[in-house]
């Protein structure tokens, strides 16, 4: 955490809460803002967000696994 914080200005717990908070505030209908230093995680979060929202629309509460290697 400390190494990432000093190198990029953020760390996983901070940007995960930031992205999740934006999702909850907008309920997935608004664009999520990228956080500087967590660009790769932003792309992964957007893929997960799309999958979770689609599952919610279908009434499916199972765990979502997304491929973030693309």
């Amino acid at each position: 955490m400390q190494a990432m914080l000093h190198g990029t200005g953020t760390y996983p717990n901070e940007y995960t809460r930031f992205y999740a908070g934006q999702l909850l505030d907008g309920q997935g209908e608004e664009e999520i803002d990228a956080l500087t230093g967590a660009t790769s995680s932003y792309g992964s979060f957007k893929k997960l967000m799309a999958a979770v929202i689609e599952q919610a629309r279908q009434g499916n509460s199972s765990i979502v696994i997304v491929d973030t290697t693309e």
Side-chain angles (χ1 to χ4, degrees), residues 13-53:
N13 193 16
E14 179 182 47
Y15 62 72
T16 301
R17 288 176 188 222
F18 177 79
Y19 292 149
Q22 285 191 52
L23 173 62
L24 291 174
D25 288 345
Q27 294 297 306
E29 300 301 323
E30 298 177 18
E31 185 69 23
I32 302 292
D33 295 327
L35 189 62
T36 302
T39 307
S40 174
S41 296
Y42 172 72
S44 297
F45 185 83
K46 284 183 67 172
K47 290 178 183 180
L48 180 59
M49 178 183 71
V52 166
I53 290 171

